[in-house]
Amino acid sequence: ELQTVRLPSYLKLIESETFSNCSSLKSISIPDTVVSIGAGAFQHCYNLKNVTMSNSVVIIEESSTKGWCLVNYNLHPMF
């Protein structure tokens, strides 16, 4: 079961439905290089409680976050 994800620092885009319906996912760290999150990328990730990302993400497409039950959301500025 996939519970924690730390994406590589060269990633620029999280494709549509990448983690869709991944009900075991609890935590993800999105690197500063990511500028776009595709439609439904995290849709129905009901156990996703911790998300860390910077303000480099400028596009969050429709339904990307549908079903999130966040407890901790850490947005840090991009330097």
Side-chain angles (χ1 to χ4, degrees), residues 2-79:
L2 183 65
Q3 292 187 2
T4 301
V5 174
R6 174 170 235 121
L7 299 171
S9 61
Y10 58 81
L11 192 68
K12 294 183 185 216
L13 165 68
I14 298 174
E15 295 283 347
S16 296
E17 299 185 12
T18 301
F19 297 100
S20 181
N21 296 306
C22 185
S23 60
S24 62
L25 185 61
K26 294 180 180 180
S27 178
I28 189 160
S29 180
I30 300 172
D32 295 347
T33 54
V34 172
V35 295
S36 179
I37 298 175
F42 298 99
Q43 183 172 323
H44 304 300
C45 292
Y46 297 114
N47 291 307
L48 184 57
K49 305 281 189 232
N50 297 294
V51 175
T52 300
M53 67 183 200
S54 75
N55 60 358
S56 65
V57 178
V58 292
I59 299 169
I60 300 177
E61 293 187 23
E62 183 178 345
S63 300
S64 295
T65 59
K66 184 177 181 179
W68 281 14
C69 297
L70 292 181
V71 174
N72 294 309
Y73 175 73
N74 299 306
L75 180 64
H76 55 90
M78 191 177 96
F79 296 102

